[in-house]
Amino acid sequence: MIFITVKFAVRPERADGWLDLVDDFTRATREEPGNLFFEWSRSVDDPNEFVLVEAFRDGDAGKAHVESAHFVKAMEDLSYAVAAKPRIVSTEIPGMDGWAEMGEITPR
């Protein structure tokens, strides 16, 4: 599994519309056969920062994602809304194929 987290510093005047701006990109990515999840969150500390957590089945799925037309289009569209280059962590986790249960907490 390829696991990626990206932090986007967004221009203040674009922050409230960010999720609308990324909606087509998000929907298209979630439809990719190799996508496991693609989730946005807004920072609780900085209203102009959004965090993307995403995963792909393997390196081939990740490659297909960054070579897709919707990825290329999103990078162009988002370049007008970001305040700085996004910060990214990307790693391969061998043997994982998605979410696992956390063992330290159980609902009561």
Side-chain angles (χ1 to χ4, degrees), residues 50-51 84 92:
F50 288 81
V51 179
E92 184 169 357

Side-chain angles (χ1 to χ4, degrees), residues 27-37 55-58 60-62 64-65 68 70:
R27 289 175 190 270
T29 300
R30 287 176 178 167
E31 291 177 6
E32 293 175 22
N35 179 256
L36 300 175
F37 52 87
F56 296 89
R57 181 185 58 246
D58 54 27
D60 289 339
H65 171 63
S68 70
H70 58 268

Side-chain angles (χ1 to χ4, degrees), residues 53-74:
V53 179
E54 59 186 309
F56 296 89
R57 181 185 58 246
D58 54 27
D60 289 339
K63 183 176 189 283
H65 171 63
V66 299
E67 292 177 351
S68 70
H70 58 268
F71 181 91
V72 172
K73 181 181 183 322

Side-chain angles (χ1 to χ4, degrees), residues 10 12 15-16 42-50:
V10 176
D16 286 338
R42 193 172 198 171
S43 171
V44 297
D45 297 320
D46 180 352
N48 299 322
E49 182 176 76
F50 288 81

